[in-house]
Amino acid sequence: MLGLKLKSAATYMSPLGPRPRTEDKVRAAMAALRDHEKRLAHEFWASLPPPAAPPKPPPAPETKGPGPAPFTGAFAALGWRRS
């Protein structure tokens, strides 16, 4: 299909989005599948469920003014000495 320049064979879908397919990549994939240990590793990774979508970050707090005053005694409270 690649040799015939079919558009459907030009790309493949990956977890990172569509990627270009080349004859070299197809040859490398076939060689990996012929190796029993590599094939077993690929089958293991392919059998895992896809990761859940990361949680949405909380909305940014509305800032009205400079915010709370800094804790000026923080260093002393933690046992730090300023030199």
Side-chain angles (χ1 to χ4, degrees), residues 26-64:
V26 172
R27 283 190 198 97
M30 292 300 296
L33 291 176
R34 287 186 188 107
D35 182 333
H36 299 293
E37 290 180 9
K38 287 182 182 178
R39 181 182 185 120
L40 194 59
H42 288 296
E43 287 181 9
F44 169 74
W45 287 110
S47 69
L48 295 176
K56 292 182 181 178
E62 294 182 25
T63 54
K64 295 181 181 176

Short mmCIF file of all heavy atoms in Angstrom, two decimals, residues 26-64:
data_model
loop_
_atom_site.label_atom_id
_atom_site.label_comp_id
_atom_site.label_asym_id
_atom_site.label_seq_id
_atom_site.Cartn_x
_atom_site.Cartn_y
_atom_site.Cartn_z
N VAL A 26 7.58 0.17 8.93
CA VAL A 26 6.84 -1.09 8.77
C VAL A 26 7.80 -2.27 8.89
O VAL A 26 7.50 -3.25 9.58
CB VAL A 26 6.08 -1.11 7.42
CG1 VAL A 26 5.47 -2.48 7.16
CG2 VAL A 26 5.01 -0.03 7.40
N ARG A 27 8.97 -2.16 8.27
CA ARG A 27 9.96 -3.24 8.38
C ARG A 27 10.42 -3.44 9.83
O ARG A 27 10.54 -4.57 10.31
CB ARG A 27 11.18 -2.93 7.51
CG ARG A 27 10.94 -3.19 6.04
CD ARG A 27 12.25 -3.09 5.24
NE ARG A 27 11.94 -2.92 3.84
CZ ARG A 27 11.91 -1.76 3.20
NH1 ARG A 27 12.21 -0.64 3.82
NH2 ARG A 27 11.61 -1.71 1.92
N ALA A 28 10.65 -2.34 10.54
CA ALA A 28 11.08 -2.44 11.94
C ALA A 28 9.98 -3.05 12.80
O ALA A 28 10.25 -3.87 13.69
CB ALA A 28 11.45 -1.06 12.47
N ALA A 29 8.73 -2.69 12.55
CA ALA A 29 7.62 -3.26 13.31
C ALA A 29 7.48 -4.76 13.04
O ALA A 29 7.26 -5.54 13.97
CB ALA A 29 6.32 -2.54 12.95
N MET A 30 7.62 -5.17 11.81
CA MET A 30 7.52 -6.59 11.48
C MET A 30 8.68 -7.37 12.13
O MET A 30 8.47 -8.47 12.63
CB MET A 30 7.54 -6.80 9.97
CG MET A 30 6.30 -6.26 9.27
SD MET A 30 4.78 -7.04 9.85
CE MET A 30 5.03 -8.71 9.34
N ALA A 31 9.87 -6.80 12.16
CA ALA A 31 11.01 -7.46 12.81
C ALA A 31 10.77 -7.60 14.30
O ALA A 31 11.07 -8.64 14.90
CB ALA A 31 12.29 -6.68 12.54
N ALA A 32 10.19 -6.57 14.93
CA ALA A 32 9.90 -6.64 16.37
C ALA A 32 8.85 -7.69 16.65
O ALA A 32 8.92 -8.40 17.66
CB ALA A 32 9.44 -5.28 16.87
N LEU A 33 7.86 -7.83 15.78
CA LEU A 33 6.82 -8.82 16.01
C LEU A 33 7.32 -10.25 15.79
O LEU A 33 6.77 -11.19 16.36
CB LEU A 33 5.62 -8.54 15.09
CG LEU A 33 4.84 -7.28 15.44
CD1 LEU A 33 3.74 -7.03 14.42
CD2 LEU A 33 4.25 -7.37 16.84
N ARG A 34 8.37 -10.42 15.01
CA ARG A 34 8.93 -11.76 14.81
C ARG A 34 9.77 -12.22 16.01
O ARG A 34 9.96 -13.41 16.21
CB ARG A 34 9.78 -11.78 13.54
CG ARG A 34 8.95 -11.74 12.28
CD ARG A 34 9.80 -11.90 11.03
NE ARG A 34 9.01 -11.67 9.86
CZ ARG A 34 9.09 -10.59 9.09
NH1 ARG A 34 9.98 -9.65 9.35
NH2 ARG A 34 8.31 -10.45 8.04
N ASP A 35 10.27 -11.26 16.80
CA ASP A 35 11.03 -11.57 18.00
C ASP A 35 10.03 -11.86 19.13
O ASP A 35 9.24 -11.01 19.51
CB ASP A 35 11.91 -10.38 18.38
CG ASP A 35 12.78 -10.64 19.60
OD1 ASP A 35 12.40 -11.46 20.46
OD2 ASP A 35 13.84 -10.00 19.69
N HIS A 36 10.05 -13.08 19.67
CA HIS A 36 9.04 -13.52 20.65
C HIS A 36 9.02 -12.66 21.90
O HIS A 36 7.95 -12.32 22.41
CB HIS A 36 9.26 -14.99 21.02
CG HIS A 36 9.14 -15.90 19.85
ND1 HIS A 36 7.95 -16.11 19.18
CD2 HIS A 36 10.06 -16.67 19.22
CE1 HIS A 36 8.14 -16.96 18.18
NE2 HIS A 36 9.42 -17.31 18.17
N GLU A 37 10.19 -12.29 22.43
CA GLU A 37 10.23 -11.48 23.65
C GLU A 37 9.69 -10.07 23.40
O GLU A 37 8.93 -9.53 24.20
CB GLU A 37 11.65 -11.42 24.19
CG GLU A 37 12.11 -12.75 24.76
CD GLU A 37 13.53 -12.69 25.29
OE1 GLU A 37 14.09 -11.58 25.38
OE2 GLU A 37 14.07 -13.76 25.62
N LYS A 38 10.10 -9.47 22.28
CA LYS A 38 9.60 -8.13 21.97
C LYS A 38 8.09 -8.16 21.71
O LYS A 38 7.37 -7.26 22.12
CB LYS A 38 10.32 -7.57 20.75
CG LYS A 38 11.75 -7.17 21.03
CD LYS A 38 12.39 -6.57 19.80
CE LYS A 38 13.84 -6.20 20.06
NZ LYS A 38 14.49 -5.66 18.87
N ARG A 39 7.63 -9.21 21.03
CA ARG A 39 6.20 -9.31 20.74
C ARG A 39 5.41 -9.43 22.05
O ARG A 39 4.38 -8.79 22.21
CB ARG A 39 5.92 -10.51 19.84
CG ARG A 39 4.45 -10.63 19.49
CD ARG A 39 4.18 -11.86 18.64
NE ARG A 39 2.81 -11.87 18.23
CZ ARG A 39 2.40 -11.86 16.99
NH1 ARG A 39 3.28 -11.84 16.01
NH2 ARG A 39 1.13 -11.86 16.70
N LEU A 40 5.91 -10.22 22.98
CA LEU A 40 5.23 -10.39 24.26
C LEU A 40 5.16 -9.05 25.01
O LEU A 40 4.13 -8.70 25.59
CB LEU A 40 5.95 -11.44 25.10
CG LEU A 40 5.22 -11.98 26.31
CD1 LEU A 40 3.90 -12.61 25.90
CD2 LEU A 40 6.08 -12.98 27.03
N ALA A 41 6.26 -8.29 24.98
CA ALA A 41 6.27 -6.99 25.64
C ALA A 41 5.26 -6.04 24.99
O ALA A 41 4.51 -5.33 25.67
CB ALA A 41 7.67 -6.38 25.59
N HIS A 42 5.21 -6.04 23.65
CA HIS A 42 4.25 -5.18 22.95
C HIS A 42 2.81 -5.60 23.26
O HIS A 42 1.93 -4.76 23.44
CB HIS A 42 4.49 -5.21 21.44
CG HIS A 42 5.73 -4.49 21.02
ND1 HIS A 42 5.90 -3.14 21.18
CD2 HIS A 42 6.86 -4.94 20.43
CE1 HIS A 42 7.08 -2.78 20.71
NE2 HIS A 42 7.69 -3.86 20.25
N GLU A 43 2.56 -6.90 23.33
CA GLU A 43 1.21 -7.37 23.65
C GLU A 43 0.81 -6.96 25.06
O GLU A 43 -0.34 -6.60 25.31
CB GLU A 43 1.12 -8.88 23.49
CG GLU A 43 1.11 -9.33 22.05
CD GLU A 43 1.01 -10.84 21.90
OE1 GLU A 43 0.78 -11.54 22.90
OE2 GLU A 43 1.16 -11.32 20.77
N PHE A 44 1.77 -7.00 26.00
CA PHE A 44 1.47 -6.58 27.36
C PHE A 44 1.08 -5.11 27.38
O PHE A 44 0.06 -4.73 27.95
CB PHE A 44 2.68 -6.81 28.27
CG PHE A 44 2.53 -6.16 29.62
CD1 PHE A 44 1.68 -6.70 30.57
CD2 PHE A 44 3.22 -5.00 29.93
CE1 PHE A 44 1.53 -6.09 31.81
CE2 PHE A 44 3.08 -4.39 31.16
CZ PHE A 44 2.23 -4.94 32.10
N TRP A 45 1.89 -4.24 26.77
CA TRP A 45 1.60 -2.80 26.78
C TRP A 45 0.31 -2.50 26.05
O TRP A 45 -0.44 -1.60 26.45
CB TRP A 45 2.76 -2.01 26.18
CG TRP A 45 3.93 -1.96 27.09
CD1 TRP A 45 5.13 -2.58 26.92
CD2 TRP A 45 4.01 -1.28 28.35
NE1 TRP A 45 5.96 -2.32 27.99
CE2 TRP A 45 5.30 -1.52 28.88
CE3 TRP A 45 3.14 -0.49 29.08
CZ2 TRP A 45 5.71 -1.00 30.10
CZ3 TRP A 45 3.56 0.04 30.29
CH2 TRP A 45 4.83 -0.22 30.78
N ALA A 46 0.02 -3.23 24.98
CA ALA A 46 -1.21 -2.99 24.22
C ALA A 46 -2.45 -3.42 25.00
O ALA A 46 -3.55 -2.92 24.75
CB ALA A 46 -1.15 -3.71 22.88
N SER A 47 -2.29 -4.34 25.96
CA SER A 47 -3.45 -4.83 26.70
C SER A 47 -3.84 -3.92 27.87
O SER A 47 -4.91 -4.07 28.43
CB SER A 47 -3.19 -6.24 27.23
OG SER A 47 -2.20 -6.19 28.25
N LEU A 48 -2.97 -2.97 28.23
CA LEU A 48 -3.28 -2.07 29.33
C LEU A 48 -4.38 -1.10 28.94
O LEU A 48 -4.45 -0.66 27.80
CB LEU A 48 -2.03 -1.29 29.74
CG LEU A 48 -0.88 -2.11 30.32
CD1 LEU A 48 0.32 -1.20 30.57
CD2 LEU A 48 -1.31 -2.80 31.59
N PRO A 49 -5.25 -0.76 29.90
CA PRO A 49 -6.30 0.21 29.57
C PRO A 49 -5.70 1.60 29.38
O PRO A 49 -4.65 1.91 29.95
CB PRO A 49 -7.22 0.19 30.80
CG PRO A 49 -6.35 -0.28 31.90
CD PRO A 49 -5.34 -1.22 31.28
N PRO A 50 -6.35 2.42 28.58
CA PRO A 50 -5.81 3.78 28.40
C PRO A 50 -5.89 4.56 29.70
O PRO A 50 -6.77 4.29 30.53
CB PRO A 50 -6.71 4.39 27.32
CG PRO A 50 -7.95 3.56 27.35
CD PRO A 50 -7.56 2.19 27.83
N PRO A 51 -5.00 5.50 29.90
CA PRO A 51 -5.04 6.28 31.15
C PRO A 51 -6.29 7.14 31.20
O PRO A 51 -6.82 7.56 30.17
CB PRO A 51 -3.78 7.14 31.08
CG PRO A 51 -3.45 7.23 29.63
CD PRO A 51 -3.93 5.94 29.02
N ALA A 52 -6.75 7.36 32.42
CA ALA A 52 -7.90 8.24 32.60
C ALA A 52 -7.48 9.66 32.28
O ALA A 52 -6.31 10.02 32.39
CB ALA A 52 -8.39 8.15 34.04
N ALA A 53 -8.42 10.45 31.87
CA ALA A 53 -8.12 11.84 31.57
C ALA A 53 -7.66 12.53 32.84
O ALA A 53 -8.20 12.29 33.92
CB ALA A 53 -9.35 12.53 31.02
N PRO A 54 -6.64 13.36 32.76
CA PRO A 54 -6.17 14.04 33.97
C PRO A 54 -7.26 14.96 34.51
O PRO A 54 -8.05 15.50 33.74
CB PRO A 54 -4.96 14.84 33.49
CG PRO A 54 -5.10 14.94 32.02
CD PRO A 54 -5.91 13.75 31.58
N PRO A 55 -7.31 15.12 35.82
CA PRO A 55 -8.35 15.98 36.38
C PRO A 55 -8.14 17.42 35.94
O PRO A 55 -7.02 17.86 35.71
CB PRO A 55 -8.17 15.84 37.89
CG PRO A 55 -6.77 15.38 38.06
CD PRO A 55 -6.44 14.58 36.83
N LYS A 56 -9.25 18.11 35.81
CA LYS A 56 -9.18 19.52 35.42
C LYS A 56 -8.64 20.32 36.59
O LYS A 56 -9.00 20.07 37.73
CB LYS A 56 -10.55 20.03 35.03
CG LYS A 56 -11.08 19.42 33.76
CD LYS A 56 -12.43 20.00 33.39
CE LYS A 56 -12.95 19.37 32.13
NZ LYS A 56 -14.27 19.89 31.77
N PRO A 57 -7.77 21.27 36.32
CA PRO A 57 -7.25 22.09 37.43
C PRO A 57 -8.38 22.95 38.01
O PRO A 57 -9.31 23.32 37.30
CB PRO A 57 -6.17 22.95 36.78
CG PRO A 57 -6.50 22.95 35.33
CD PRO A 57 -7.22 21.66 35.05
N PRO A 58 -8.29 23.26 39.29
CA PRO A 58 -9.34 24.10 39.88
C PRO A 58 -9.30 25.49 39.26
O PRO A 58 -8.24 25.94 38.80
CB PRO A 58 -8.96 24.14 41.36
CG PRO A 58 -7.52 23.80 41.41
CD PRO A 58 -7.26 22.90 40.23
N PRO A 59 -10.43 26.14 39.22
CA PRO A 59 -10.42 27.48 38.63
C PRO A 59 -9.54 28.42 39.44
O PRO A 59 -9.42 28.29 40.66
CB PRO A 59 -11.89 27.90 38.68
CG PRO A 59 -12.52 27.03 39.71
CD PRO A 59 -11.72 25.75 39.73
N ALA A 60 -8.93 29.33 38.76
CA ALA A 60 -8.06 30.30 39.43
C ALA A 60 -8.90 31.18 40.35
O ALA A 60 -10.00 31.60 39.98
CB ALA A 60 -7.34 31.15 38.40
N PRO A 61 -8.42 31.42 41.55
CA PRO A 61 -9.19 32.26 42.46
C PRO A 61 -9.26 33.68 41.93
O PRO A 61 -8.33 34.17 41.29
CB PRO A 61 -8.42 32.20 43.78
CG PRO A 61 -7.04 31.82 43.38
CD PRO A 61 -7.17 30.99 42.12
N GLU A 62 -10.37 34.30 42.19
CA GLU A 62 -10.52 35.69 41.77
C GLU A 62 -9.65 36.55 42.67
O GLU A 62 -9.71 36.44 43.89
CB GLU A 62 -11.98 36.11 41.86
CG GLU A 62 -12.87 35.40 40.88
CD GLU A 62 -14.30 35.89 40.97
OE1 GLU A 62 -14.52 37.04 41.39
OE2 GLU A 62 -15.18 35.12 40.61
N THR A 63 -8.85 37.35 42.07
CA THR A 63 -7.97 38.20 42.87
C THR A 63 -8.58 39.59 42.96
O THR A 63 -8.77 40.26 41.96
CB THR A 63 -6.56 38.27 42.26
OG1 THR A 63 -6.67 38.69 40.91
CG2 THR A 63 -5.88 36.92 42.31
N LYS A 64 -8.89 39.97 44.16
CA LYS A 64 -9.43 41.31 44.42
C LYS A 64 -8.51 41.95 45.45
O LYS A 64 -8.68 41.74 46.64
CB LYS A 64 -10.86 41.23 44.94
CG LYS A 64 -11.83 40.68 43.92
CD LYS A 64 -13.23 40.64 44.47
CE LYS A 64 -14.19 40.07 43.46
NZ LYS A 64 -15.53 39.92 43.97
#
